[in-house]
Amino acid sequence: MHIKLPTPVRNFLVATSFWKEYYFILREFKHFRQIAILAAVFTLSAAVLEGFGVGFILAVLHSVLNPNAKPIQTGVGWFDVWILAVNASASERLFRSSALVLLTTLLRLGLTYLGRLYVFTAQYTLGYRLSLRVFEQLQALSLSFFTKTRAGNLVNSLTSEVNQITMAFDVLATFFTRGSTLIAYTLSMFMLSWQLMLITAMLFGLLSVGITSLLGQIREASFATTKARRWYVSVALEFINGIRTVQAFAAQDFERKRFQDASLQLLQASTKSRAAQALVEPVSEGIATFILFGILFLAFAVLIPNGQLQPAGLLTFLFVLLRLMPIRRQLDGARAKLSSFQGSFSNVKELLRTDNKTYLRNGKLQFSKLQRAIEFVSVDFGYDKKHTVLHNIKLTINRGEMTALVGSSGAGKTTLADLIPRFYDPTQGQIFIDGIDLQEYDIKSLRRKLAVVSQDTFIFNASVRDNIAYALEEVDEEAVWEAARLANALEFIQKLPEGFDTQLGERGVRLSGGQRQRLAIARALLRDPDILILDEATSALDSVSERLIQESLEKLSQGRTVIAIAHRLSTIVRADKVVVLEQGRILEQGTYQELLQQRGNLWKYHQMQHEVSQLS
Ligand SMILES: Nc1ncnc2c1ncn2[C@@H]1O[C@H](COP(=O)(O)OP(=O)(O)OP(=O)(O)O)[C@@H](O)[C@H]1O
């Protein structure tokens, strides 16, 4: 079922700020329309039955207190005769209306239960859909977004803030049910005395102005709360992730202070928000009492003496008004709560915005194999607009060859290599693969044919097998074993308590730096990549580990196009091309021997490493 609103109505709705504010959430409902409609139908039916129930109770009381009086009638013939049994005896009427009270109560309870059930289901489905949307957004964003954003902020958005928004849905449901009851009551009051209703409406209008200014305060406090929560999660996450450094630097006191500050900020912000919220209901009730007196005054001083209102009418009016007051209070409370969720709304909305974020343009061409070469044509790149990290890079990486990148720390080697899997796109110039711009290729197909073995390989909370076969479906057991063997990882894996089934990562066995690297090599081998990027470890490994890794890297490199970032010159002597980078510029390129003969920068590095190795 698809409801298409007429264009003027749509334009009107889009123009109202409510719609604009909540559109990004409300549009999620189209994914679970049935659940939302059932929630609305059940809750509304329960509200209608509540009204009927009150009527039937009135009929019971009437039958008990005035058995001989004319029975209460609605004026609807069939309803009065068949349901209220107005023509029957007093005792039968009493029995009939009592049975109706019981029946409507049971039915109402059943409907209320179903209504709650569907409201909750809709609420949690909304949470589920929203978190999926946030996750999709994170998947689509360029890596540069993550380097600029604290992990804690993102974790907070995905958990607390999305959760707050789902709670807001419950409040919206309150608006819906209580709001409809309020309308029904208002209509009946209007019918009883329009003069009294007019003055009530005016006084309620004044009340609304008072409450609105409070809502402004709550909204502001909610932004502060979201900010404090973001900071709190970031501090906690950094403490947990950096626990080794915290302990190594005996920084417990420093971290405790940071955490205490963040917690205190959160405490203060939440208290401020709740304090403003708590004011809403008493203010609402206080003003409502004045309204009551105003009505009494108007009735007794003007309307009753003038014969415009009967005392019975006034009593009924007051009876309905008294029932309406708590609903009104609840609605004000709900408005206050909704304001307190504003911070969360804007947090998630900001994260989902697409106009202020960088996305990688995806191409359509499927990449299958490198045929000729990767070419960098006058490539510039900067992580931000102010600082250019790579300048005018002109480089050809031929198929099947090994190209080594050399240079001092911070020269831009990793950055240059990161442009090939499109972790980032050049800010100027182009990169071509076999003469076609890299951006024309489908990113997934390109990355499937590419493997990066880097210094900081991430080990997932999973078994050794699943870590090697990460994200691959239906992997042959033997292939995993063979990859591990070629990566020289088999020996240490077999020594682990449960071999390939041993759990790794945070809650499992921790691997050494060398073991982690060999696992990364096995992971890359299993993917059988066409292009390989090797980011050599800067940390020193013992000579046995180094030899094992070197051996496995050589096996991995065979028959592939390799871009190697090297810190030890010994590993690149046999490279087909050596590229020397300094401060983001290519200074020299050629074979190792050619560059040595030039007596330029590579020669200097060569001399330096030679001296160091002689010293040690
Ligand atoms: N995510 C990032 N955001 C901003 N600047 C960055 C980022 N990554 C690296 N840089 C900067 O870019 C420059 C090049 O860094 P890069 O990591 O490419 O150097 P490198 O030659 O690989 O160094 P190393 O040998 O130490 O790994 C450095 O000045 C670094 O500070």
Side-chain angles (χ1 to χ4, degrees):
M1 188 172 65
H2 189 78
I3 307 163
K4 194 156 169 42
L5 296 170
T7 315
V9 178
R10 272 214 317 271
N11 289 347
F12 170 74
L13 287 175
V14 170
T16 61
S17 69
F18 173 85
W19 187 253
K20 251 196 269 173
E21 275 294 294
Y22 301 113
Y23 175 68
F24 82 102
I25 290 180
L26 294 174
R27 68 175 226 196
E28 287 303 320
F29 285 114
K30 68 172 185 253
H31 299 289
F32 50 99
R33 226 176 280 132
Q34 275 97 339
I35 297 177
I37 290 173
L38 282 175
V41 168
F42 285 133
T43 12
L44 260 188
S45 313
V48 169
L49 275 187
E50 195 178 345
F52 274 102
V54 173
F56 292 141
I57 289 173
L58 212 68
V60 171
L61 291 178
H62 189 80
S63 303
V64 174
L65 298 175
N66 320 299
N68 299 323
K70 222 171 138 232
I72 288 181
Q73 299 194 17
T74 61
V76 181
W78 65 268
F79 189 86
D80 292 342
V81 174
W82 295 105
I83 309 290
L84 295 178
V86 285
N87 298 332
S89 66
S91 58
E92 164 129 28
R93 279 203 318 270
L94 178 61
F95 173 76
R96 183 65 73 91
S97 29
S98 305
L100 282 172
V101 168
L102 215 71
L103 199 74
T104 42
T105 309
L106 284 179
L107 207 62
R108 179 174 58 80
L109 290 179
L111 286 170
T112 309
Y113 166 71
L114 286 174
R116 293 306 302 156
L117 199 70
Y118 278 96
V119 167
F120 281 138
T121 313
Q123 187 179 348
Y124 291 129
T125 314
L126 174 71
Y128 161 77
R129 297 241 27 128
L130 262 186
S131 45
L132 282 191
R133 242 175 90 189
V134 172
F135 192 79
E136 275 309 311
Q137 166 79 327
L138 295 180
Q139 290 254 42
L141 282 166
S142 148
L143 211 58
S144 57
F145 174 80
F146 293 89
T147 50
K148 280 186 225 135
T149 317
R150 275 171 176 268
N153 290 358
L154 302 177
V155 172
N156 179 51
S157 300
L158 256 177
T159 52
S160 305
E161 307 306 329
V162 165
N163 191 32
Q164 293 276 321
I165 292 179
T166 60
M167 275 157 47
F169 176 77
D170 203 22
V171 181
L172 282 179
T174 310
F175 265 121
F176 184 62
T177 49
R178 304 279 80 184
S180 45
T181 322
L182 185 88
I183 292 171
Y185 280 157
T186 312
L187 281 178
S188 59
M189 283 160 73
F190 192 81
M191 272 147 66
L192 282 166
S193 164
W194 66 265
Q195 297 96 328
L196 278 187
M197 190 56 234
L198 209 64
I199 183 108
T200 313
M202 273 164 55
L203 293 170
F204 270 135
L206 278 180
L207 168 68
S208 200
V209 174
I211 298 285
T212 307
S213 74
L214 263 180
L215 293 184
Q217 281 182 31
I218 297 171
R219 204 170 302 130
E220 259 175 42
S222 89
F223 285 113
T225 314
T226 300
K227 199 170 153 210
R229 212 166 24 229
R230 236 170 37 197
W231 177 233
Y232 171 85
V233 176
S234 293
V235 168
L237 208 67
E238 274 178 23
F239 167 71
I240 295 165
N241 284 338
I243 188 73
R244 280 177 70 88
T245 316
V246 173
Q247 296 200 350
F249 282 82
Q252 281 91 338
D253 289 343
F254 174 78
E255 282 298 327
R256 184 178 301 110
K257 168 120 194 4
R258 233 157 69 103
F259 187 70
Q260 270 173 355
D261 285 350
S263 307
L264 196 66
Q265 262 183 36
L266 183 58
L267 171 76
Q268 283 165 345
S270 324
T271 316
K272 207 168 156 193
S273 163
R274 291 310 288 252
Q277 264 185 71
L279 254 183
V280 170
E281 293 204 6
V283 167
S284 167
E285 195 163 344
I287 303 178
T289 315
F290 280 104
I291 293 176
L292 205 63
F293 278 104
I295 288 165
L296 285 178
F297 176 78
L298 181 74
F300 284 114
V302 186
L303 300 177
I304 294 180
N306 288 348
Q308 285 163 315
L309 185 69
Q310 299 304 313
L314 174 66
L315 277 183
T316 324
F317 189 92
L318 288 179
F319 173 74
V320 182
L321 184 68
L322 285 178
R323 285 189 64 83
L324 185 138
M325 292 289 194
I327 296 177
R328 170 78 227 195
R329 214 175 48 228
Q330 275 176 2
L331 281 174
D332 281 335
R335 276 174 79 192
K337 260 200 193 146
L338 211 56
S339 298
S340 77
F341 294 134
Q342 288 282 321
S344 305
F345 274 91
S346 79
N347 176 282
V348 174
K349 203 171 153 193
E350 182 58 34
L351 186 55
L352 289 176
R353 261 178 76 177
T354 49
D355 56 329
N356 61 351
K357 298 189 180 65
T358 318
Y359 296 85
L360 293 181
R361 193 176 71 85
N362 200 12
K364 292 209 169 63
L365 277 180
Q366 291 295 314
F367 179 78
S368 56
K369 203 167 175 24
L370 178 64
Q371 310 282 354
R372 243 176 339 100
I374 306 171
E375 288 157 286
F376 283 65
V377 179
S378 306
V379 168
D380 282 1
F381 174 77
Y383 288 98
D384 51 62
K385 289 199 176 78
K386 282 192 206 132
H387 306 100
T388 307
V389 173
L390 295 177
H391 305 264
N392 196 23
I393 302 293
K394 291 177 183 157
L395 173 67
T396 303
I397 297 166
N398 290 320
R399 186 180 91 91
E401 287 189 359
M402 181 187 193
T403 305
L405 305 178
V406 192
S408 52
S409 182
K413 306 179 290 290
T414 308
T415 308
L416 193 154
D418 279 353
L419 298 183
I420 300 171
R422 289 195 66 201
F423 290 152
Y424 309 98
D425 281 336
T427 30
Q428 288 287 328
Q430 278 171 296
I431 302 173
F432 294 97
I433 286 194
D434 298 330
I436 297 170
D437 193 319
L438 200 55
Q439 299 188 13
E440 299 295 324
Y441 290 100
D442 171 62
I443 300 182
K444 253 197 225 157
S445 73
L446 174 75
R447 289 182 181 165
R448 260 193 226 116
K449 287 285 161 192
L450 219 148
V452 184
V453 178
S454 70
Q455 309 176 14
D456 53 353
T457 297
F458 191 81
I459 301 293
F460 292 89
N461 271 314
S463 66
V464 174
R465 180 185 301 100
D466 291 346
N467 260 292
I468 295 178
Y470 172 65
L472 292 178
E473 282 166 19
E474 294 180 24
V475 180
D476 201 14
E477 187 77 13
E478 254 175 49
V480 177
W481 193 90
E482 183 61 12
R485 190 184 67 79
L486 287 172
N488 278 339
L490 199 55
E491 201 183 323
F492 89 78
I493 293 173
Q494 282 171 338
K495 280 192 195 141
L496 290 172
E498 288 167 68
F500 278 92
D501 291 318
T502 311
Q503 288 293 313
L504 300 179
E506 270 183 10
R507 297 197 10 239
V509 170
R510 296 290 176 114
L511 298 181
S512 72
Q515 291 170 334
R516 264 213 311 273
Q517 265 208 317
R518 278 178 277 161
L519 206 77
I521 295 170
R523 200 184 265 171
L525 268 164
L526 192 60
R527 271 162 184 74
D528 189 20
D530 197 33
I531 304 166
L532 187 63
I533 298 173
L534 301 175
D535 199 343
E536 191 189 76
T538 33
S539 52
L541 294 169
D542 64 80
S543 54
V544 178
S545 297
E546 196 178 327
R547 188 177 49 75
L548 288 175
I549 287 172
Q550 206 47 50
E551 256 178 44
S552 52
L553 280 179
E554 274 164 26
K555 281 182 206 148
L556 176 60
S557 307
Q558 271 162 23
R560 306 181 208 275
T561 309
V562 180
I563 296 106
I565 299 170
H567 293 99
R568 276 174 295 262
L569 297 184
S570 58
T571 58
I572 54 153
V573 178
R574 58 178 195 85
D576 299 283
K577 183 185 279 180
V578 175
V579 179
V580 181
L581 270 172
E582 222 44 79
Q583 293 184 1
R585 292 174 204 278
I586 294 182
L587 299 185
E588 302 162 8
Q589 48 180 311
T591 65
Y592 198 85
Q593 288 311 323
E594 280 167 11
L595 296 187
L596 277 193
Q597 279 161 16
Q598 280 181 21
R599 299 220 154 197
N601 286 275
L602 187 77
W603 180 77
K604 275 190 222 148
Y605 293 141
H606 182 84
Q607 294 294 99
M608 253 162 23
Q609 288 208 352
H610 191 62
E611 281 165 21
V612 170
S613 62
Q614 275 192 340
L615 279 174
S616 56

